[in-house]
């Protein structure tokens, strides 16, 4: 079995994540290819797509959101993702049990004794009037029926798990600050979510495995589980196992992949890339060593925006008074500093609509 070095896995990840070369894909196709973008911070997907697509225009993504072709919803790992409408409808039912369990993991004591099916039916009845509501507004309408449960626990269970919801624009539109207003996915998208397969098979799980490998592979089963949060995919992997190829990493883990998927030369140069907070290129793995050192792993869950230099997390970045401020995590060579500054100027211009190209490397 071929052993893939950490650098080989790094270059494969960059290629699959559209970070080795900017892609000419249309925005909708890029969102689909990436299996969505993590989006609890509403403006972050714009930077994520700017780093991946040639000539990316923010209005294109905003238009897809207002046009109901992409949607913000709780999905993988119970986090808010920006996914295509088609994927939201196809994947949501497969995530139901995981979403319930994750909310219960936080609010089990408060929700003890609550009939979740009854709560779901009550929530759907309230939302049937077609009026968007915040999580707290929905929970307060039902608080009298479950007075022993806090409003936060009721709201989280309803909005993040029991009633598939879309977070409506202008939330997530470029340069717009807006609170979360929820509407059932079926009402917003004009179609019911796809039900589970009646014959007990798992075509959605199998599709998730293939889609994940196309965007993140080669990867271990533990990486797949870490990305989506679903524990019940071993059967889906087994069902398509014969169509997959396998490798090992330097730790001896078995890695799965799609035959013919990109595996660039490990020596291929990797350009500087600025990633947004919670980017799945980092979070989409259990073993993140292919892209971030263990010493910096905490940055990936702390919401730090990171800079890839030679394909690895090597700095963090913020915007301060219109300038992109970069804090290196290791010493940069002169050539690396120049490359970071060049890409930083381009990012500053993008974020300011061309008003600023200021970048500052903090030493």
């Amino acid at each position: 079995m071929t052993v893939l070095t950490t650098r080989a896995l790094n270059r494969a990840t960059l290629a699959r994540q559209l970070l080795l070369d900017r892609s000419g894909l249309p925005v909708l196709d890029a969102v689909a290819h990436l299996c969505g973008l993590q989006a609890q911070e509403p403006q972050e997907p714009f930077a994520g797509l700017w780093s991946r697509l040639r000539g990316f225009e923010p209005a294109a993504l905003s238009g897809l959101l207002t046009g109901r072709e992409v949607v913000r919803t709780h999905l993988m790992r119970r986090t808010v993702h920006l996914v295509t409408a088609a994927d939201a409808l196809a994947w949501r039912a497969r995530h139901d049990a995981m979403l319930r369990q994750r909310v219960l993991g936080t609010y089990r004591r408060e929700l003890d004794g609550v009939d979740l099916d009854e709560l779901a039916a009550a929530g759907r009845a309230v939302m049937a009037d077609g009026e968007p509501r915040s999580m707290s507004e929905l929970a307060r309408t039902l608080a009298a029926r479950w007075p022993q449960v806090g409003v936060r626990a009721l709201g989280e269970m309803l909005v993040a798990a029991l009633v598939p919801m879309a977070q409506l624009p202008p939330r997530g539109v470029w340069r717009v600050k807006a609170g979360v207003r929820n509407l059932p996915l079926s009402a917003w998208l004009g179609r019911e979510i796809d039900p589970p397969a009646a014959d007990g098979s798992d075509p959605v799980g199998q599709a998730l495995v293939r889609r994940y490998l196309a965007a993140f592979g080669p990867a271990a089963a533990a990486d797949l589980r870490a990305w989506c949060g679903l524990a019940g995919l071993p059967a889906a992997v087994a069902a398509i196992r014969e169509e997959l190829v396998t490798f090992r990493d330097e730790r001896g883990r078995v890695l799965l992949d799609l035959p013919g998927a990109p595996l660039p030369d490990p020596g291929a140069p990797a350009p500087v890339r600025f990633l947004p907070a919670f980017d799945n290129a980092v979070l989409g793995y259990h073993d993140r060593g292919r892209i971030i050192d263990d010493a910096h792993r905490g940055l990936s869950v702390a919401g730090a925006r990171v800079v890839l230099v030679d394909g690895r997390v090597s700095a963090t970045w913020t915007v301060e008074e219109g300038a992109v401020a970069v804090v290196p995590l290791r010493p940069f060579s002169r050539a690396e500093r120049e490359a970071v500054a060049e890409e930083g100027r381009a990012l500053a211009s993008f974020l300011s609509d061309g008003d600023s190209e200021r970048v500052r490397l903090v030493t």
Side-chain angles (χ1 to χ4, degrees), residues 153-303:
L154 278 178
E156 288 277 359
M157 180 55 80
L158 283 164
V159 170
L162 297 182
V163 183
M165 294 284 197
Q167 294 187 357
L168 304 192
R171 180 80 168 178
V173 170
W174 179 240
R175 297 195 180 286
V176 175
K177 291 184 178 181
V180 178
R181 308 290 290 176
N182 302 286
L183 197 67
L185 268 174
S186 55
W188 179 244
L189 299 179
R191 183 165 76 82
E192 294 297 325
I193 65 172
D194 296 346
D199 61 2
S201 64
D202 190 11
V204 175
Q206 295 168 27
L208 280 168
V209 175
R210 295 187 187 97
R211 294 278 299 277
Y212 173 77
L213 294 176
F216 295 87
D223 296 320
L224 169 66
R225 184 168 61 250
W227 166 71
C228 63
L230 298 175
L233 287 176
V237 172
I240 66 170
R241 186 66 180 77
E242 290 187 359
E243 70 184 64
L244 303 178
V245 296
T246 56
F247 305 96
R248 287 192 185 275
D249 65 13
E250 292 176 310
R251 294 171 48 197
R253 297 191 314 158
V254 174
L255 307 177
L256 306 173
D257 204 8
L258 300 174
L263 286 173
D265 184 332
V272 170
R273 292 289 185 257
F274 283 70
L275 298 186
F278 306 113
D279 195 281
N280 275 338
V282 182
L283 288 184
Y285 301 94
H286 172 70
D287 182 356
R288 298 170 187 164
R290 68 179 65 194
I291 199 166
I292 187 170
D293 294 342
D294 285 344
H296 305 310
R297 183 184 172 100
L299 295 172
S300 61
V301 294

Side-chain angles (χ1 to χ4, degrees), residues 20-286:
L20 196 58
D21 295 295
R22 280 188 168 92
S23 171
L25 282 174
V27 175
L28 183 64
D29 293 348
V31 174
H33 168 76
L34 295 166
C35 303
L37 295 96
Q38 193 156 328
Q40 63 263 50
E41 297 294 337
Q43 296 295 302
E44 298 301 297
F46 291 93
L49 289 173
W50 175 83
S51 285
R52 290 172 163 93
L53 300 180
R54 292 193 296 272
F56 171 68
E57 293 290 343
L61 182 58
S62 293
L64 291 172
L65 189 64
T66 58
R68 311 188 191 200
E69 294 183 79
V70 300
V71 63
R72 295 170 50 83
T73 189
H74 287 89
L75 206 58
M76 284 75 77
R77 307 186 302 277
R78 193 170 75 91
T79 54
V80 177
H81 273 69
L82 183 75
V83 296
T84 68
D87 284 344
L89 294 168
W91 294 353
R92 182 50 169 81
R94 187 63 179 79
H95 288 72
D96 280 353
M98 178 273 292
L99 293 170
R100 287 191 181 202
Q101 287 305 310
R102 293 226 169 183
V103 177
L104 284 174
T106 303
Y107 299 105
R108 189 174 300 277
R109 181 176 298 177
E110 293 95 320
L111 292 164
D112 184 46
V114 174
D115 185 318
L116 296 184
D117 291 336
E118 181 183 350
L119 178 59
R124 286 193 294 268
V126 171
M127 299 301 297
D129 63 6
E131 290 296 321
R133 289 176 172 84
S134 69
M135 183 179 73
S136 60
E137 288 171 343
L138 173 58
R140 283 197 296 268
T141 64
L142 299 173
R145 290 181 59 178
W146 287 275
Q148 78 280 16
V149 183
V151 168
R152 180 75 183 187
L154 278 178
E156 288 277 359
M157 180 55 80
L158 283 164
V159 170
L162 297 182
V163 183
M165 294 284 197
Q167 294 187 357
L168 304 192
R171 180 80 168 178
V173 170
W174 179 240
R175 297 195 180 286
V176 175
K177 291 184 178 181
V180 178
R181 308 290 290 176
N182 302 286
L183 197 67
L185 268 174
S186 55
W188 179 244
L189 299 179
R191 183 165 76 82
E192 294 297 325
I193 65 172
D194 296 346
D199 61 2
S201 64
D202 190 11
V204 175
Q206 295 168 27
L208 280 168
V209 175
R210 295 187 187 97
R211 294 278 299 277
Y212 173 77
L213 294 176
F216 295 87
D223 296 320
L224 169 66
R225 184 168 61 250
W227 166 71
C228 63
L230 298 175
L233 287 176
V237 172
I240 66 170
R241 186 66 180 77
E242 290 187 359
E243 70 184 64
L244 303 178
V245 296
T246 56
F247 305 96
R248 287 192 185 275
D249 65 13
E250 292 176 310
R251 294 171 48 197
R253 297 191 314 158
V254 174
L255 307 177
L256 306 173
D257 204 8
L258 300 174
L263 286 173
D265 184 332
V272 170
R273 292 289 185 257
F274 283 70
L275 298 186
F278 306 113
D279 195 281
N280 275 338
V282 182
L283 288 184
Y285 301 94
H286 172 70

